[in-house]
Amino acid sequence: MTTNSKVAFLFVLPLVIAGCTSTNPKPAFDDVAKQVSVRTGQAVRWMRADTEQNEVEAAIGARLRTNLTAQGAVSIALLNNRALQAQFEEIGISQAGLAQASRLRNPSYSGNFRLPTQGPMSLNTENILTQDLLDLLTLPARKKIAVGNLEQTKLRMADTVLKTAMETKVAFYTVQARQQLLKRLHAVVEVNEAGVDLSTRQHSAGNISDLELASQQASFQEAKLAWGKAQAQLRIDRERLNRWLGLWGTNTDWTIADELPSLPEAEPSLENLETLAINQRLDLAATRSELQNVEAALRLKKSVRWIPAVSVGVDAERNLDHSWVVGPTLDLEVPLFDQGQPAVARLAAQYRQAQRRLEALATDIRSEVRQARDALIAARDLAEFYEKVYLPQRIRIVNETLLQYNAMQKGTFELIAAKEHELNAEREYAEAGRDYWIARAQLERALGGRLPERDVPSASPNMPKRSLDKHQDAEH
């Protein structure tokens, strides 16, 4: 090996050693998947190749062949939501940034080629290869910052997945409650239709006035109007859920159970939730990582601000007599006008900004947890009131009214009115159940993970038996 070759080899060797960080983002995504699994019990997949689409479609098809559950909906969303898949590419971008930060800049080459103006025609050449020395010295610090950026990206992506899971649950429970409400409204329509039929016959017999008939007809039309509005809103709610699930075409013909799940027997402990959220919220961890990265960048800039840009290299010149002259080169920036003060000031401001952002987010998280906890308690209290007090009371009223109707102590319209009040109570109970499950999903989101699985679904409470389930019992 010639002298020039040895010099070039020694100069390029650090470049080869530095460029060993992979651009493969799979290990980073696996970390995200683990975070999600711990907090939701769900698997998440990043489709980076078209061949994976068939596997995903098969998995989704299996879930859609039966009644969709809340957990099943979340599972589909985490596999199939295209916006979420697009967000995952941020991991690839950050991984590429880490790979780039782990590599030195390419060396710079310049050359001169000259011919003498007189005498023998012998080529004079000069070859100069230089490398930024400061780039080499700061490589470990820059790589550390890039590692922090990747960690921040992973935390934010995992938090985005948790948000998608929560929004999917909210959309699911909204659809399920709307279906339950639609059944109740349809029953109200049937009751009022029976009332109109009866009123029409009584009016023809001269037993009620035009005003009483018109009032009953208006109640019937009002019930039909509410039922029609609920049908239209259900279609809107289904499409909202379809968007979270990433479904289109025939896959949108999924079905779900018409009834919301029963309330759990008891709630898990709602104490120390603020501390739990502060410890496990991923967006807070990402903001904390951002603060650490800005701090590292600030320290790096302060440490090198007085070091000018330095490029070192080797100069090899071939003289006209065919001899070589080899020696080192040095290019040195003179920090005459800029000693790095603006860059330091900018990073210092960004550091303070990140500090305030972290403090603000921690304060907001505590408030969100308290608000979500109070909303869950209030929603449960209201749902239990409907389930254990108000709805049973309405059922008892119907049953007693039916007994008095059979004893000819109450009229038909009083019986129909009692049944309508009971159905309205069932409708309000469905809305209260919807609000409870949505509040529960929002509390999990505020905590950054699932509530402790200490609750067991309860059996339906002992309610008075419904004696009037069909409006035909009210007809003559």
Side-chain angles (χ1 to χ4, degrees), residues 367-377 439-440 442-444 446:
S367 177
E368 289 172 11
V369 170
R370 294 193 300 269
Q371 179 180 335
R373 177 202 61 201
D374 294 345
L376 178 66
I377 294 172
R440 189 180 178 92
Q442 290 173 337
L443 178 57
E444 289 179 342

Side-chain angles (χ1 to χ4, degrees), residues 6 23 50 63-64 80 129 131 143 164 212-213 249 317 330 339 351 358 385 392-394 409 430 448 460 475:
K6 291 179 180 179
T23 58
D50 293 338
R63 289 170 173 82
L64 295 177
N80 200 48
L129 188 66
Q131 177 67 38
K143 183 175 180 179
T164 300
E212 290 174 311
L213 175 60
E317 183 175 1
L330 174 66
Q339 293 85 37
Y351 177 71
L358 178 65
F385 173 77
Q393 185 180 64
R394 282 297 176 188
Q409 294 175 352
S460 298
E475 298 181 19

Side-chain angles (χ1 to χ4, degrees), residues 124 317-325:
N124 172 254
E317 183 175 1
R318 182 174 181 270
N319 294 321
L320 296 178
D321 59 1
H322 303 292
S323 64
W324 284 91
V325 179

Side-chain angles (χ1 to χ4, degrees), residues 294 297-298 301-302 304-306 333 335-352:
V294 175
L298 178 59
K301 187 60 182 178
K302 284 182 176 180
V304 301
R305 59 173 295 193
W306 297 107
E333 178 188 8
L336 183 59
F337 305 109
D338 182 5
Q339 293 85 37
Q341 298 96 328
V344 171
R346 181 178 63 254
L347 286 171
Q350 291 174 344
Y351 177 71
R352 292 190 298 271

Side-chain angles (χ1 to χ4, degrees), residues 69-132:
T69 64
Q71 290 300 319
V74 171
S75 176
I76 291 175
L78 299 192
L79 288 174
N80 200 48
N81 186 289
R82 297 305 195 276
L84 188 61
Q85 293 292 323
Q87 287 287 326
F88 289 156
E89 296 299 333
E90 293 292 334
I91 300 174
I93 294 171
S94 289
Q95 182 68 46
L98 171 58
Q100 186 67 59
S102 303
R103 289 163 168 76
L104 290 171
R105 294 194 185 98
N106 291 326
S108 176
Y109 168 81
S110 62
N112 296 318
F113 305 93
R114 298 180 292 269
L115 291 171
T117 57
Q118 52 183 310
M121 296 297 292
S122 180
L123 183 65
N124 172 254
T125 62
E126 182 178 12
N127 300 279
I128 304 173
L129 188 66
T130 59
Q131 177 67 38
D132 189 341

Side-chain angles (χ1 to χ4, degrees), residues 173 260-268 372 375-384 429-443 451 455:
Y173 288 129
L260 288 163
S262 301
L263 298 182
E265 282 186 357
E267 297 299 332
L376 178 66
I377 294 172
R380 183 183 180 91
D381 289 344
L382 185 60
E384 286 184 334
Y429 170 55
E431 293 173 341
R434 173 202 63 196
D435 293 343
Y436 167 80
W437 288 108
I438 289 177
R440 189 180 178 92
Q442 290 173 337
L443 178 57
L451 289 168
D455 46 349

Side-chain angles (χ1 to χ4, degrees), residues 49-69:
D50 293 338
T51 55
E52 299 179 63
Q53 184 63 37
N54 293 335
E55 299 177 21
V56 170
E57 289 179 356
I60 292 172
R63 289 170 173 82
L64 295 177
R65 280 192 287 272
T66 59
N67 273 352
L68 197 59
T69 64

